[in-house]
């Protein structure tokens, strides 16, 4: 009886480990700078980071800080895919948007072929929006999972 319980427990632990999921974030950054002066890219980190190395807990009793430096977070191993800017000297370029859609679709299709499942997509725009606003980006994060 003990052997059956032991074997069942080991199988349960093994199945839980087998169901572990990986999460991967792909980011597209598209320039909305007039005259096409910005840079647009798809960014895909090629290495992993453990958030715990950069996390500290703040309490009233213990105010110890994590000793890691901001530079330790940087990733130097990433894939960068060029995209076109939304604007050129003549204004908004719909051909550039269509071209970016095709390149982004290709990247997402490749991720799905590699066994990743698209879970969420979130996007936002950053711009000063003041009278002389000449800078801004449209950023989209594609969040994938893989079992």
């Amino acid at each position: 009886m003990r052997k059956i319980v032991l074997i069942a427990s080991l199988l349960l632990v093994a199945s839980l480990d087998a169901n572990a999921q990986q999460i991967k974030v792909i980011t597209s950054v598209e320039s909305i700078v007039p005259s096409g002066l910005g840079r647009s890219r798809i960014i895909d980190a090629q290495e992993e980071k453990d958030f715990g190395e950069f996390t500290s807990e703040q309490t009233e009793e213990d105010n110890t800080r994590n000793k890691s430096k901001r530079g330790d977070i940087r990733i130097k191993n990433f894939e960068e895919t060029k995209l076109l800017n939304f604007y050129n000297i003549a204004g908004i370029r719909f051909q550039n948007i269509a071209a970016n859609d095709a390149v982004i679709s290709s990247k997402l299709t490749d991720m799905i072929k590699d066994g990743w499942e698209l879970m969420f997509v979130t996007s936002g725009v950053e711009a000063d929006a003041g009278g002389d606003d000449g800078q801004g980006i449209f950023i989209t994060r594609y969040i994938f999972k893989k079992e």
Side-chain angles (χ1 to χ4, degrees):
M1 180 68 176
R2 285 186 181 175
K3 287 182 180 180
I4 293 174
V5 171
L6 179 63
I7 292 172
S9 297
L10 289 174
L11 288 174
L12 178 63
V13 170
S15 71
L16 290 176
D17 187 43
N19 289 332
Q21 294 182 354
Q22 293 176 284
I23 301 294
K24 185 162 183 70
V25 178
I26 304 296
T27 301
S28 65
V29 179
E30 297 174 274
S31 171
I32 52 175
V33 176
S35 300
L37 298 175
R39 296 185 332 160
S40 299
R41 303 283 189 269
I42 298 172
I43 305 299
D44 181 356
Q46 300 296 302
E47 62 186 78
E48 295 181 13
K49 292 286 184 174
D50 178 4
F51 80 95
E53 294 178 28
F54 312 106
T55 303
S56 59
E57 185 173 328
Q58 307 296 313
T59 64
E60 288 184 31
E61 298 84 33
D62 182 21
N63 196 12
T64 59
R65 295 227 177 241
N66 188 305
K67 303 294 184 203
S68 64
K69 299 177 196 131
R70 291 175 57 110
D72 296 339
I73 299 173
R74 294 203 195 318
I75 288 182
K76 296 178 181 169
N77 186 16
F78 64 95
E79 181 180 88
E80 180 180 79
T81 304
K82 291 181 182 180
L83 295 173
L84 299 173
N85 297 330
F86 282 173
Y87 290 95
N88 69 5
I89 200 78
I92 193 164
R93 289 283 300 194
F94 295 105
Q95 289 174 325
N96 290 5
I97 295 170
N100 287 357
D101 289 351
V103 173
I104 292 168
S105 294
S106 173
K107 174 66 176 177
L108 299 180
T109 299
D110 194 52
M111 295 289 297
I112 292 168
K113 284 180 185 174
D114 286 344
W116 293 95
E117 178 184 343
L118 183 61
M119 291 178 24
F120 303 104
V121 177
T122 183
S123 62
V125 175
E126 186 287 319
D128 179 13
D132 294 330
D133 181 21
Q135 299 187 37
I137 59 170
F138 183 78
I139 187 168
T140 305
R141 288 215 161 103
Y142 305 90
I143 302 167
F144 291 88
K145 75 174 181 178
K146 188 180 209 181
E147 294 191 35

